[in-house]
Amino acid sequence: MEFDSIECVSSSDGIEEDEIPQLHPHIIRSQFSSSKTTTHKNNNGSSILCEGNNGGIAIHPATSVHELLECPVCTNSMYPPIHQCHNGHTICSTCKARVHNRCPTCRQELGDIRCLALEKVAESLELPCKFGSLGCPEIFPYYSKLKHEAACNFRPYNCPYAGSECAAVGDIPYLVTHLRDDHKVDMHSGCTFNHRYVKSNPREVENATWMLTVFNCFGQYFCLHFEAFQLGMAPVYMAFLRFMGDETDAQNYTYSLEVGGNGRKLIWEGTPRSIRDSHRKVRDSHDGLVIQRNMALFFSGGDRKELKLRVTGRIWKEQQNPDEGACIPNLCS
C-alpha cells in the first residue's frame, strides 16, 4: 500500500558430487593417518610436508598457515571439528555435510577422522579482525576471532530500507548514498520535521506498508519510519526513528513525535534505536508512536473517511554540562 500523498517540511543446502569445487587440496596427516611422510604440491606450487602418528606438521615457507586453515569448498576459515579424508585432505564440518561425506579433492569417503594436528596449530595463532580495513585495530586468538567479529563495532551495517529484503551492506556513507540513489528515499537536513500523511481509503491496511525519510542532523543520519500494519485484528499506524550508527552513539540523542487534531494530541519521546536492530524488531516491539486507527481518523476530522495525519517532531542531543556534570539538551537550530 502506498499513501496517496506525502508532504514533508523540514527545517535544518546440498551439493552434487560433480559440483564440488576442487580447490586448495591441503593435506594434513594426523595421528589417525599412517606414519608415512607425504609431500603434496599445493595450487600455488608450494610443498606441504605432513608427518604421521606424532601429529607434527612441517610447512614449506611458501605456504601460509592461513591457507592450510582455509576450507577448499567454502574458502572460509575452518574451526573444530576439522575433518580429513584418509589421504589427508581437510574440510570444514559445515561443508562435510554438504559434499555428502565425500572428499572434494580425491573423491574418497571422508569418514569421521579429525585433523587434531591442524586444530592444534590454529590454537597458537593470533589474527587481526577481518574488519581491519574498516578501522578495527584488534587482534585475537584464532578461536576467539569469530565471536568478536559477530559483534565488532566496525562491521558493516545492513541496509535500513524496510520495503524489501535488500542485501546491501556497508558503512554509513555508502548506505546513505545507496538509500538516495537506489531506493529513492527523501533526504532532508535539519533536526525538526513536519510530515503530513494522506490516505483516501484508510480501511485498506496491508501489513507492513511504510514510508521512509532520512534526516541529516548534528552530522549524523536518522531514519524516520511511518507505517500502517495489522496489530492482531486492529489496524494501527506507527512512527519511529532509527539512528544510522551503533547503539552506544544512539544513546546520545533523544527525539519526540507528536500527532493530533480536534483539540487532542499524542506525544512520544524516546531514544532512537540503532539500525543494528532490524526494522522488524523495532516495529514489533512498538518502540515508537503508535496510533490506533479510530484515533487516527478522529485526528483527521471530517467524515472519518479519509486519513489526514500530521506528524511533527524534533531531534536533540544530550550534552554534558562541564560545570555541574549534568546533561543538558542541545537543540538543533
Side-chain angles (χ1 to χ4, degrees):
M1 181 186 78
E2 294 183 358
F3 291 93
D4 297 336
S5 65
I6 302 167
E7 298 174 3
C8 175
V9 179
S10 176
S11 56
S12 319
D13 4 282
I15 300 178
E16 297 300 326
E17 183 174 331
D18 57 359
E19 296 177 339
I20 300 172
Q22 299 190 44
L23 303 173
H24 309 296
H26 310 322
I27 296 183
I28 303 294
R29 296 284 183 186
S30 73
Q31 65 264 42
F32 295 101
S33 307
S34 67
S35 59
K36 180 181 177 181
T37 301
T38 303
T39 302
H40 174 72
K41 289 290 185 179
N42 203 352
N43 285 351
N44 58 13
S46 58
S47 299
I48 305 173
L49 303 181
C50 304
E51 292 296 332
N53 293 337
N54 60 6
I57 300 177
I59 304 172
H60 191 281
T63 301
S64 71
V65 178
H66 297 173
E67 290 180 11
L68 292 177
L69 288 166
E70 186 178 280
C71 174
V73 177
C74 65
T75 70
N76 293 327
S77 296
M78 294 187 289
Y79 293 86
I82 299 175
H83 297 276
Q84 69 169 47
C85 71
H86 290 279
N87 291 325
H89 303 119
T90 55
I91 189 171
C92 74
S93 57
T94 301
C95 290
K96 180 176 182 288
R98 297 174 63 203
V99 300
H100 307 298
N101 201 38
R102 190 164 297 279
C103 176
T105 303
C106 66
R107 305 296 200 224
Q108 297 299 311
E109 185 176 352
L110 284 169
D112 292 313
I113 304 175
R114 286 274 295 275
C115 187
L116 300 181
L118 189 55
E119 292 179 8
K120 205 70 176 176
V121 169
E123 285 183 3
S124 65
L125 295 180
E126 289 191 345
L127 301 176
C129 172
K130 71 177 180 180
F131 303 122
S133 61
L134 298 178
C136 183
E138 302 293 341
I139 296 176
F140 294 90
Y142 187 80
Y143 293 142
S144 302
K145 184 169 170 282
L146 274 185
K147 182 178 180 180
H148 160 78
E149 289 172 349
C152 178
N153 288 337
F154 292 91
R155 72 191 187 277
Y157 295 88
N158 294 322
C159 174
Y161 190 79
S164 62
E165 296 297 328
C166 181
V169 296
D171 58 15
I172 298 304
Y174 168 79
L175 288 181
V176 170
T177 302
H178 166 70
L179 289 170
R180 182 193 64 206
D181 297 343
D182 297 331
H183 294 299
K184 310 302 180 185
V185 170
D186 288 336
M187 301 283 176
H188 298 276
S189 295
C191 300
T192 61
F193 43 88
N194 186 343
H195 277 33
R196 184 171 179 263
Y197 299 97
V198 178
K199 184 71 180 73
S200 59
N201 188 356
R203 300 192 180 279
E204 294 179 359
V205 178
E206 299 174 10
N207 207 33
T209 57
W210 57 275
M211 310 303 299
L212 173 63
T213 307
V214 173
F215 291 88
N216 183 355
C217 173
F218 295 111
Q220 305 289 340
Y221 289 93
F222 299 82
C223 295
L224 175 64
H225 297 263
F226 184 81
E227 307 201 3
F229 60 96
Q230 293 287 145
L231 181 59
M233 297 297 293
V236 297
Y237 301 93
M238 181 175 178
F240 58 92
L241 197 73
R242 288 201 292 167
F243 175 73
M244 295 188 70
D246 281 317
E247 182 180 358
T248 52
D249 294 325
Q251 297 298 318
N252 296 325
Y253 301 91
T254 305
Y255 76 101
S256 65
L257 296 172
E258 180 179 316
V259 61
N262 283 338
R264 312 288 195 279
K265 66 180 177 181
L266 290 175
I267 300 176
W268 164 268
E269 184 174 303
T271 301
R273 297 279 285 270
S274 165
I275 60 171
R276 294 287 191 202
D277 289 335
S278 70
H279 158 268
R280 180 177 291 274
K281 180 178 180 180
V282 179
R283 190 198 73 185
D284 291 350
S285 67
H286 307 157
D287 191 2
L289 177 66
V290 179
I291 315 162
Q292 301 292 332
R293 184 176 65 180
N294 285 340
M295 182 63 73
L297 292 173
F298 181 79
F299 289 153
S300 299
D303 54 8
R304 297 166 61 94
K305 294 182 178 179
E306 184 178 48
L307 179 72
K308 295 179 181 178
L309 286 180
R310 184 176 297 277
V311 178
T312 61
R314 63 186 178 95
I315 306 166
W316 65 92
K317 183 176 182 179
E318 301 290 346
Q319 284 191 329
Q320 193 76 19
N321 187 327
D323 298 325
E324 302 176 8
C327 289
I328 57 175
N330 178 13
L331 301 181
C332 180
S333 58

